[in-house]
């Protein structure tokens, strides 16, 4: 059954057709998660401003991972200060809070690990062809399937509260009625899970991503990014593509995208040498 509706968020309005997808359900998610469910405190809200903002305010605890999933965000946040617009039950919108005891300098690969977890979890569910755009966009057929925002703040334990927020399109948003010209998110068309999986079950997909993410975070905490660099490169959507990299306060870099190194830095061949691009407020665009 479908109804027309308008989702309003931060001054934008998306006219969309709502699908009656399976409602999110804490018990179902926990059941699908298997053993790792015992390590997670999972909360589900019908509406909140931003799952990242809520978990940042709550802070993390040493022994438990907190997950907040929300059917609708009213002030979703994207990378580089942008809004993140999700389409209610046609999306999956959630954040995981993790108490990380690594020094800030060692956490640069973390957002790449989060993207890899999404791609590998979807592959385990049978969705082939999910790729990664540095640092952490998840692509399908060249479009943006999921965006990831990692927030960090120091905590009283001398570690970091790390909040990994993931917004995933389950079905394609209908952007035709968008009331502002800024229809794109990072200049990529949207892609959706329903293009690669028949009748995706949001509870199952969320559980698969959370389990994978938790396992990869355990490995990342022990060994850093190095063991992931080949796995990430195997899914690198723009390997060999000519790109422009923009970093705040610096002249843009142009060159061929190579791989990522053992810290998760993107390697770009500028023709005059290989430049390392490490996290921060970086925008990456393909140049034709
Ligand atoms: C991007 O700009 O690509 C990152 C988008 C991240 C969106 C997710 S949705 C869940 C979490 N809560 C937020 O406010 N943002 C992230």
């Amino acid at each position: 059954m479908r109804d027309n509706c308008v989702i309003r968020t931060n001054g934008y309005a998306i006219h969309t057709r709502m699908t009656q997808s399976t409602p999110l359900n804490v018990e179902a998610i926990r059941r699908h998660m298997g053993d790792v469910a015992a390590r997670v405190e999972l909360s589900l809200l019908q509406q909140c401003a931003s799952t990242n903002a809520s978990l940042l305010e709550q802070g993390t605890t040493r022994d438990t991972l907190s997950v907040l999933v929300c059917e609708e965000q009213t002030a979703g946040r994207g990378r580089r200060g942008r809004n993140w617009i999700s389409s209610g039950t046609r999306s999956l919108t959630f954040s995981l809070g993790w108490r990380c005891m690594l020094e800030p300098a060692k956490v640069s690969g973390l957002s790449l690990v989060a993207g890899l977890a999404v791609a590998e979890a979807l592959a385990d569910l049978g969705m082939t062809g999910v790729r990664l755009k540095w640092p952490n966009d998840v692509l399908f057929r060249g479009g943006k399937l999921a965006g990831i925002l990692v927030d960090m703040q120091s905590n009283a334990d001398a570690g970091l509260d790390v909040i990994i927020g993931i917004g995933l399109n389950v079905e394609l948003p209908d952007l035709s009625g968008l009331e502002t010209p800024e229809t794109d998110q990072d200049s990529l068309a949207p892609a959706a899970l329903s293009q690669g999986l028949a009748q995706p079950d949001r509870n199952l997909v969320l559980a698969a991503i959370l389990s994978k993410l938790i396992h990869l975070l355990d490995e990342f905490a022990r060994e850093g990014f190095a063991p992931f660099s080949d796995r990430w490169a195997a899914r690198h959507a723009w390997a060999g593509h000519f790109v422009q990299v923009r970093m705040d306060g610096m002249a843009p870099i142009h060159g061929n995208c190579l791989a990522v190194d053992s810290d998760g830095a993107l390697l770009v061949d500028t023709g005059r040498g290989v430049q390392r691009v490490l996290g921060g407020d970086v925008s990456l665009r393909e140049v034709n």
Side-chain angles (χ1 to χ4, degrees):
M1 174 184 159
R2 286 171 184 266
D3 297 309
N4 290 325
C5 84
V6 181
I7 298 166
R8 289 190 183 278
T9 170
N10 277 9
Y12 293 81
I14 301 177
H15 299 256
T16 188
R17 278 148 45 102
M18 299 292 288
T19 321
Q20 302 294 73
S21 61
T22 317
L24 289 167
N25 176 287
V26 170
E27 282 321 306
I29 298 164
R30 297 189 77 88
R31 198 171 54 247
H32 289 306
M33 283 177 76
D35 291 350
V36 285
R39 295 171 55 191
V40 172
E41 197 175 297
L42 181 61
S43 312
L44 166 63
L45 293 175
Q46 287 309 306
Q47 192 185 70
C48 74
S50 151
T51 53
N52 266 38
S54 296
L55 287 191
L56 267 176
E57 196 180 319
Q58 180 184 308
T60 63
T61 57
R62 190 187 267 275
D63 302 317
T64 317
L65 297 158
S66 29
V67 172
L68 176 60
V69 51
C70 174
E71 288 283 17
E72 190 195 341
Q73 282 189 137
T74 54
R77 295 166 43 218
R79 286 183 59 231
R80 312 188 69 239
R82 294 181 181 177
N83 299 326
W84 179 260
I85 302 166
S86 41
S87 318
T89 56
R90 295 162 68 108
S91 319
L92 255 180
T93 302
F94 61 98
S95 301
L96 176 135
W98 180 51
R99 171 73 53 106
C100 168
M101 298 312 286
L102 290 173
E103 305 153 32
K106 297 224 166 120
V107 294
S108 57
L110 181 62
S111 63
L112 282 78
V113 169
L116 184 64
V118 175
E120 291 191 347
L122 295 179
D124 290 349
L125 292 175
M127 185 162 174
T128 52
V130 178
R131 313 294 295 278
L132 297 166
K133 175 192 162 208
W134 190 91
N136 58 13
D137 285 337
V138 182
L139 309 189
F140 184 66
R141 297 182 186 160
K144 184 152 166 171
L145 178 64
I148 297 174
L149 177 70
V150 178
D151 284 311
M152 296 184 200
Q153 67 188 6
S154 50
N155 63 47
D157 263 0
L160 287 173
D161 289 344
V162 172
I163 312 298
I164 301 170
I166 302 180
L168 183 104
N169 297 324
V170 177
E171 293 188 46
L172 278 179
D174 173 7
L175 299 173
S176 58
L178 203 64
E179 286 174 357
T180 85
E182 204 180 331
T183 56
D184 59 347
Q185 299 190 320
D186 272 4
S187 304
L188 294 172
L193 223 50
S194 58
Q195 295 175 298
L197 280 181
Q199 296 185 322
D201 171 345
R202 292 188 305 150
N203 292 307
L204 178 62
V205 170
L206 177 55
I209 294 174
L210 288 173
S211 315
K212 178 67 76 172
L213 182 57
I214 292 166
H215 285 122
L216 297 201
L217 288 179
D218 288 345
E219 198 178 341
F220 179 75
R222 282 193 311 269
E223 305 185 42
F225 185 74
F228 298 102
S229 58
D230 287 348
R231 273 154 80 178
W232 198 96
R235 297 186 181 276
H236 186 186
W238 287 7
H241 291 214
F242 198 75
V243 295
Q244 181 193 65
V245 185
R246 285 185 168 275
M247 288 173 275
D248 277 354
M250 291 175 68
I253 298 170
H254 292 90
N256 268 315
C257 246
L258 303 175
V260 288
D261 71 9
S262 58
D263 294 322
L266 179 70
L267 303 175
V268 178
D269 183 354
T270 64
R272 290 185 305 281
V274 174
Q275 188 120 6
R276 285 179 83 235
V277 182
L278 200 56
D281 227 1
V282 177
S283 130
L284 183 69
R285 276 167 201 269
E286 202 168 19
V287 182
N288 296 314

